[in-house]
């Protein structure tokens, strides 16, 4: 029997028209935007795969919840609903809402890092590392080496290399480490998950040294799903239980609700550490708002709370990751280099194939454009070319995103030079994914004619957001 199609576990109630433009129009717009897809206006974009952050379609249940917003300055009932949702689903006792993830990172970094301390992370995320560095901390990459190789098919490329942690403790001593910052579905590694087994061993290591784990839980549900699909012993276990087991290894987390939680804005700090909670409540008031709203409207907190229950629905998360796999599969079939593991086929009766990264397909720009050297920004170049070809917007995740080393001032040269095609949750259909794939295929066929870029404006921090480029004319 043929493998049966699994459709989205929802139907569409409201639609938003898309705008199509001409190639000539898009050439002008990308020039005006300095060849940086962050600087395009969204109305000039046809299919927007810039990010999965804040771009989810909310459910009717979430919209209904927004009408129940209790817009009180203090003690909004929606705060208590959110607190309960986090306690029930993530398992942490205390919660401080923030307007989004980086605000939670800011507060956590300021309160938990002494200047000169190290923060080991499984690779980095841009804002997380920025806040660590602003607090005087030093980022230390403890992800396994396989994560830096886009072609390596390791099923858990988000894993931590414990030998790297040992080395840090031997060289610098335990007190030089503020905490371990562990991210599920590591964004910059191509949305790659860690395994529960690895987490278990990392937590045992951390416990021996008395070092807390603070998760960046932004895409934890997607990681839980990969554990369900790929890790022995977890098949058939609900993602809700896997998520709880995962979070039980941490002292707490920072969270960008704009991803897993299926909302357009929001975030939080959650923790079991009462002293940290007390200090975070004091600090959130200075930067975000009172500790029972943290920069959010009551209605926003209600939408986050309802999204938290929806995200752990097994059918939803399977369909979400399957859509990523659909796009990845189309590109792979055409021979386009993308970040692996390859989604080999699961047994016929399994719910899903083995998917790629959880939230996005990452095109390997180094192999796509081997004639463009890394200091001519191959991923930036490819993202701009994709927009011109079809109005599809992706994001550079390579040397521009990596920024400069704060001590030497040189470019940090990452091994991964990627264009991220990030898929918003519950927003596009697989036909949209086919349009994206066809545009990538067209570019791949004509790749030899694509020329690199030079940077003509560079902001000092998080440069990828606002840097401007011009084509190199030979
Ligand atoms: N951590 C991770 C892993 C993220 O991917 C992001 C945001 C943040 C923290 C910060 O959260 O945006 O709510 O302040 N990632 C977005 C992206 C911007 O496109 O990947 P935020």
């Amino acid at each position: 029997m043929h493998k049966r199609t699994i459709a989205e576990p929802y139907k569409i109630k409201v639609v938003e028209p898309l705008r199509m433009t001409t190639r000539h129009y898009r050439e002008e717009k990308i020039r005006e935007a300095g060849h940086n897809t962050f600087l395009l206006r969204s109305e000039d974009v046809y299919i927007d795969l810039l990010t999965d952050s804040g771009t989810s379609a909310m459910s009717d249940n979430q919209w209904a919840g927004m009408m129940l917003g209790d817009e009180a300055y203090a003690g909004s009932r929606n705060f208590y609903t959110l607190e309960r949702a986090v306690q029930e689903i993530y398992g942490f006792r205390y919660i401080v809402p923030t307007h989004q993830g980086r605000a939670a990172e800011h507060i956590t970094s300021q309160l938990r890092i002494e200047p000169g301390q190290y923060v080991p992370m499984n690779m980095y995320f841009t804002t997380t590392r920025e806040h660590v560095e602003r607090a005087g901390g030093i980022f230390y990459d403890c992800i396994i080496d396989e994560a830096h190789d886009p072609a390596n098919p390791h099923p858990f490329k988000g894993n931590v290399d414990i030998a790297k942690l040992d080395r840090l403790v031997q060289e610098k001593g335990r007190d030089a480490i503020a905490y371990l910052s562990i991210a599920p579905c590591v964004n910059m590694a191509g949305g790659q998950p860690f395994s529960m087994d690895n987490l278990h061993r990392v937590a045992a290591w951390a416990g021996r040294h008395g070092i807390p784990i603070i998760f960046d839980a932004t895409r934890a549900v997607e990681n839980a799903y990969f554990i369900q699909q790929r890790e022995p012993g977890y098949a058939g276990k609900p993602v809700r239980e896997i998520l709880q087991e995962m979070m039980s290894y941490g002292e707490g987390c920072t969270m960008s609700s704009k991803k897993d939680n299926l909302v357009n804005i929001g975030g939080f700090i959650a923790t079991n550490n009462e002293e940290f909670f007390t200090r975070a409540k004091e600090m959130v008031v200075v930067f975000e708002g009172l500790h029972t709203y943290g920069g959010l409207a009551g209605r926003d907190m209600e939408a986050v709370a309802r999204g938290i229950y929806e995200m752990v629905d097994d059918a939803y998360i399977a369909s979400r990751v399957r859509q990523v796999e659909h796009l990845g599969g189309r590109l792979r079939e055409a021979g386009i280099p993308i970040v692996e593991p390859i989604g080999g086929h699961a047994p016929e009766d399994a719910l899903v194939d083995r998917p790629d990264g959880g939230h996005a397909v990452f095109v390997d720009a180094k192999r796509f454009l081997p004639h463009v050297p890394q200091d001519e920004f191959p991923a930036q170049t490819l993202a701009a070319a994709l927009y011109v070809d079809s109005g599809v917007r992706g994001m550079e995740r390579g040397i521009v995103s990596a920024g400069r080393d704060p001590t030497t001032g040189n470019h940090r040269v990452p091994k991964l030079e990627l264009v991220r095609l990030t898929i918003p949750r519950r927003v596009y259909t697989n036909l949209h994914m086919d349009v994206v794939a066809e545009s990538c295929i067209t570019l791949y066929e004509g790749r030899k004619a694509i020329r690199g870029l030079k940077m003509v404006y560079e902001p000092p921090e998080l440069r990828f957001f606002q840097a401007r480029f011009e084509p190199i004319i030979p």
Side-chain angles (χ1 to χ4, degrees):
M1 200 181 74
H2 280 296
K3 219 152 74 37
R4 302 286 288 262
T5 300
I6 299 173
E8 292 78 6
Y10 49 82
K11 59 183 175 175
I12 296 165
K13 193 185 307 241
V14 177
V15 297
E16 176 183 340
L18 294 174
R19 178 160 166 257
M20 294 166 96
T21 54
T22 63
R23 183 183 181 93
H24 177 74
Y25 181 86
R26 293 191 296 270
E27 279 168 352
E28 200 176 301
K29 292 300 162 192
I30 199 73
R31 207 175 316 118
E32 285 172 18
H35 295 260
N36 184 345
T37 53
F38 277 104
L39 299 178
L40 291 166
R41 288 181 185 224
S42 98
E43 65 181 11
D44 295 328
V45 172
Y46 173 38
I47 298 173
D48 202 349
L49 306 188
L50 185 69
T51 178
D52 62 330
S53 181
T55 52
S56 299
M58 293 208 298
S59 66
D60 53 359
N61 178 50
Q62 285 174 295
W63 281 109
M66 290 197 75
M67 290 305 291
L68 302 177
D70 172 9
E71 307 307 340
Y73 190 87
S76 161
R77 89 173 149 247
N78 311 114
F79 167 74
Y80 297 102
T81 314
L82 173 60
E83 184 183 50
R84 196 168 54 245
V86 173
Q87 288 166 345
E88 277 180 23
I89 301 298
Y90 288 90
F92 296 118
R93 198 167 318 146
Y94 306 113
I95 161 184
V96 179
T98 60
H99 82 280
Q100 63 183 78
R102 68 199 68 182
E105 292 164 1
H106 170 219
I107 292 168
T108 302
S109 302
Q110 291 293 328
L111 293 178
R112 300 300 294 267
I113 301 170
E114 302 287 340
Q117 276 189 317
Y118 288 82
V119 180
M121 300 188 215
N122 49 347
M123 208 173 257
Y124 74 101
F125 184 70
T126 52
T127 60
T128 323
R129 184 177 65 192
E130 178 77 28
H131 281 298
V132 165
E133 289 175 352
R134 280 175 169 252
I138 304 164
F139 159 73
Y140 179 82
D141 189 3
C142 63
I143 204 165
I144 57 172
D145 289 338
E146 286 87 339
H148 292 282
D149 173 5
N152 190 302
H154 193 295
F156 292 108
K157 285 162 95 172
N159 279 356
V160 170
D161 185 339
I162 293 173
K164 289 183 186 170
L165 294 178
D166 277 331
R167 214 172 304 142
L168 186 64
V169 168
Q170 273 156 24
E171 280 172 22
K172 308 288 175 185
R174 180 259 164 264
D175 291 341
I177 300 176
Y179 55 89
L180 302 185
S181 172
I182 304 297
C185 277
V186 183
N187 196 349
M188 304 302 277
Q192 301 288 340
F194 54 65
S195 69
M196 195 72 86
D197 174 61
N198 181 254
L199 178 59
H200 179 79
R201 287 185 293 112
V202 171
W205 182 92
R208 265 200 314 282
H209 293 279
I211 299 170
I213 293 178
I214 300 181
F215 289 107
D216 172 352
T218 296
R219 296 187 183 82
V221 181
E222 287 164 8
N223 200 125
Y225 174 76
F226 284 117
I227 289 173
Q228 184 194 64
Q229 296 299 307
R230 295 179 182 174
E231 190 161 349
Y234 287 91
K237 196 168 183 162
V239 288
R240 181 175 171 149
E241 286 173 27
I242 298 173
L243 177 68
Q244 284 211 338
E245 181 181 344
M246 188 194 288
M247 291 294 118
S248 74
Y249 290 114
E251 179 206 281
C253 69
T254 57
M255 179 66 191
S256 169
S257 295
K258 299 171 74 174
K259 286 79 166 178
D260 268 355
N261 295 169
L262 295 162
V263 289
N264 306 119
I265 194 73
F268 55 82
I269 296 167
T271 183
N272 291 329
N273 178 333
E274 193 175 350
E275 190 198 329
F276 172 47
F277 172 58
T278 303
R279 296 184 65 203
K281 274 195 294 188
E282 288 159 8
M283 195 170 167
V284 78
V285 161
V286 181
F287 290 96
E288 296 283 294
L290 196 69
H291 63 282
T292 54
Y293 77 86
L296 295 171
R299 57 178 173 269
D300 296 328
M301 292 190 284
E302 187 65 30
V304 175
R306 292 179 183 219
I308 286 174
Y309 291 108
E310 289 177 17
M311 75 182 182
V312 289
D313 174 53
D314 285 286
Y316 151 70
I317 190 69
S319 125
R320 185 242 177 330
V321 179
R322 236 183 126 80
Q323 183 168 54
V324 178
E325 163 64 7
H326 177 81
L327 177 59
R330 290 285 319 260
L331 298 188
R332 188 181 297 123
E333 254 165 48
I336 294 177
I338 59 176
V339 173
E340 300 294 348
I342 288 189
H345 289 279
E348 285 226 326
D349 58 348
L351 189 60
V352 292
D353 292 341
R354 282 186 160 208
D356 308 281
H359 64 301
V361 175
F362 291 75
V363 180
D364 184 350
K366 262 193 197 170
R367 281 186 290 151
F368 198 113
L369 300 175
H371 56 285
V372 177
Q374 205 166 359
D375 61 2
E376 294 180 9
F377 314 109
Q380 191 79 29
T381 301
L382 184 56
L386 181 64
Y387 171 72
V388 170
D389 182 71
S390 58
V392 171
R393 171 156 73 169
M395 181 192 291
E396 195 265 7
R397 295 274 83 153
I399 189 166
V400 182
S401 295
R404 290 184 186 270
D405 187 301
T407 44
T408 67
N410 295 330
H411 288 307
R412 296 195 238 228
V413 183
K415 291 199 184 110
L416 299 181
E417 179 71 26
L418 310 174
V419 175
R420 189 181 75 171
L421 303 173
T422 336
I423 305 188
R425 297 170 181 78
R426 306 192 292 207
V427 170
Y428 293 111
T429 68
N430 282 359
L431 283 181
H432 291 115
M433 297 304 115
D434 291 344
V435 169
V436 175
E438 285 160 21
S439 180
C440 292
I441 293 166
T442 304
L443 290 176
Y444 194 57
E445 285 165 354
R447 62 191 179 276
K448 295 213 172 74
I450 300 174
R451 299 266 162 271
L453 296 168
K454 58 174 189 268
M455 201 177 340
V456 294
Y457 168 67
E458 179 178 358
E461 272 147 327
L462 297 179
R463 63 181 182 178
F464 56 95
F465 283 129
Q466 296 188 57
R468 300 185 70 86
F469 302 82
E470 280 172 11
I472 295 174
I473 315 278

